[in-house]
């Protein structure tokens, strides 16, 4: 084989490798998000707490039961983010924000707020439970976030439960930027607004 023939063979052998390297290169790293700011904490039980509120369960629709962040494109199309994901289960993320926000708002009432899975505290004189069913929670970067949820305020008595109210909340929150970080921040604000409605309903019972 001549030097020219060897060079041609070598070049043709390298082309597929270069092509494959371009096609199967390393993919971008995934980014993980949480709804709850780090400074948010739920109030703990104290000796003078006379009221408790259990937030949850929070039921979310099937299209949101995934790690990928879901956005909406048009009226009937949803889009799954390839590399932008939730750090945990979205239902738990929503519960965490609601517990922290309701706890902060009801702090003057010496109210202990906890996730619904937590064990009840017998020392509490009055206990409420707030189950929530989310029917929509999505949006688009640079546009708006939409949160629709039906929730109930239930007073827990010794041997039965009494439904105080059943409401549907529809919340729209503007997304400040075109990135997923701005989208998640807007989603967090939407959940906090829902938390205000929950806290107001409890406060109205006093």
């Amino acid at each position: 084989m001549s030097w020219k023939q060897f060079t041609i063979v070598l070049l043709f052998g390298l082309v597929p490798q270069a092509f494959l390297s371009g096609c199967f290169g390393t993919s971008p790293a995934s980014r993980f998000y949480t709804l709850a700011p780090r400074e948010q904490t739920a109030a703990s039980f104290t000796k003078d707490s006379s009221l408790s509120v259990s937030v949850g369960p929070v039921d979310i629709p099937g299209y949101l039961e995934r790690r990928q962040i879901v956005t909406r494109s048009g009226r009937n199309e949803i889009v799954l983010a390839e590399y932008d994901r939730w750090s945990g289960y979205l239902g738990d993320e929503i519960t965490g924000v609601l517990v922290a926000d309701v706890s902060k708002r009801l702090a003057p009432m010496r109210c202990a707020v906890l996730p619904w899975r937590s064990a009840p505290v017998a020392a509490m004189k009055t206990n409420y439970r707030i189950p929530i069913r989310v029917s929509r929670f999505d949006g688009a970067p640079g546009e708006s976030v939409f949160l629709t949820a039906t929730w109930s305020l239930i007073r827990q008595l010794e041997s039965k439960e009494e439904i105080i109210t059943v409401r549907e909340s529809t919340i729209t929150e503007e997304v400040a930027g075109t990135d997923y970080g701005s989208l998640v921040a807007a989603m967090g604000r939407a959940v906090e607004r829902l938390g205000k409605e929950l806290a107001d309903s409890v406060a109205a019972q006093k």
Side-chain angles (χ1 to χ4, degrees), residues 139-180:
E143 299 182 17
S144 297
V145 162
F146 301 94
L147 170 60
T148 304
T150 302
W151 54 274
S152 305
L153 177 63
I154 302 173
R155 180 184 288 117
Q156 296 182 301
L157 306 174
E158 291 183 359
S159 57
K160 63 178 181 179
E161 293 185 334
E162 176 187 2
I163 298 177
I164 304 299
T165 186
V166 178
R167 298 181 186 176
E168 181 180 76
S169 298
T170 301
I171 297 169
T172 302
E173 187 70 29
E174 185 178 351
V175 181
T178 57
D179 59 297
Y180 278 93

Side-chain angles (χ1 to χ4, degrees), residues 26-202:
T26 56
S27 58
S30 295
R31 294 171 290 271
F32 296 91
Y33 299 84
T34 179
L35 283 179
R38 292 182 179 180
E39 65 271 16
Q40 283 192 330
T41 56
S44 58
F45 293 107
T46 61
K47 293 181 180 180
D48 56 357
S49 295
S50 60
L51 175 68
S52 73
V53 177
S54 299
V55 178
V58 175
D59 293 328
I60 62 175
Y63 80 97
L64 294 176
E65 292 181 342
R66 62 187 76 245
R67 283 297 184 92
Q68 297 100 323
I69 294 179
V70 177
T71 56
R72 191 171 290 262
S73 176
R75 183 175 180 180
N76 299 314
E77 181 182 359
I78 62 171
V79 179
L80 305 182
E82 184 69 25
Y83 303 109
D84 297 272
R85 301 167 179 261
W86 296 113
S87 60
Y89 175 63
L90 182 57
D92 292 339
E93 294 279 333
I94 296 172
T95 301
V97 174
L98 290 176
V99 167
D101 193 71
V102 173
S103 176
K104 178 179 63 177
R105 295 180 187 280
L106 296 182
M109 297 173 57
R110 294 180 178 141
C111 176
V113 184
L114 65 160
W116 71 279
R117 292 191 184 92
S118 300
V121 177
M124 298 299 170
K125 297 177 181 178
T126 308
N127 299 279
Y128 292 97
R129 184 169 65 88
I130 308 179
I132 302 156
R133 180 177 294 275
V134 175
S135 56
R136 180 180 179 182
F137 192 28
D138 55 52
E143 299 182 17
S144 297
V145 162
F146 301 94
L147 170 60
T148 304
T150 302
W151 54 274
S152 305
L153 177 63
I154 302 173
R155 180 184 288 117
Q156 296 182 301
L157 306 174
E158 291 183 359
S159 57
K160 63 178 181 179
E161 293 185 334
E162 176 187 2
I163 298 177
I164 304 299
T165 186
V166 178
R167 298 181 186 176
E168 181 180 76
S169 298
T170 301
I171 297 169
T172 302
E173 187 70 29
E174 185 178 351
V175 181
T178 57
D179 59 297
Y180 278 93
S182 299
L183 176 72
V184 171
M187 295 177 79
R189 294 194 299 271
V191 177
E192 289 177 352
R193 288 174 58 184
L194 175 60
K196 181 180 184 304
E197 295 186 23
L198 305 185
D200 288 347
S201 70
V202 174

